[in-house]
Amino acid sequence: ALRANLMLRLERHQSRHARYLENEAALGEPQSLSELGQRLAMDVGVRWEHQWADWCTQALERLSPEAVSRLSNVVPITSGRQNHAE
């Protein structure tokens, strides 16, 4: 569930990042204080979405089945029911 949630978040942040980059390119050079404010707000939005996408990517890498299997306290779940036989 965690990896699926991260995949959705990654997709959403990548999409927003691309949209913000397009909007930023369309703004052109600011000609007024208001336009400068819009440019600055767009810049922080671009950075924010890029950082979130980067974080999601890193988290997914660290939560990959291969990486998780190397952790000592992880018990793999092979079905919907856990076997508690000792």
Side-chain angles (χ1 to χ4, degrees):
L2 177 58
R3 285 184 53 79
N5 183 286
L6 284 169
M7 291 294 291
L8 290 173
R9 287 177 181 269
L10 175 60
E11 184 177 303
R12 183 174 49 220
H13 289 294
Q14 287 174 331
S15 175
R16 285 183 189 160
H17 182 252
R19 190 170 58 246
Y20 285 175
L21 286 174
E22 290 172 6
N23 291 343
E24 184 180 47
L27 286 176
E29 287 300 315
Q31 302 299 314
S32 68
L33 187 56
S34 175
E35 289 177 3
L36 177 58
Q38 289 176 350
R39 173 61 94 172
L40 292 170
M42 188 63 61
D43 181 56
V44 75
V46 167
R47 291 173 188 224
W48 176 263
E49 296 302 334
H50 175 75
Q51 287 298 319
W52 263 110
D54 186 52
W55 182 86
C56 289
T57 300
Q58 290 178 21
L60 285 165
E61 289 171 1
R62 294 178 71 185
L63 290 167
S64 72
E66 298 80 25
V68 170
S69 70
R70 291 189 294 268
L71 299 175
S72 61
N73 61 343
V74 175
V75 177
I77 298 174
T78 57
S79 68
R81 298 180 65 186
Q82 293 181 345
N83 185 357
H84 294 288
E86 297 180 273

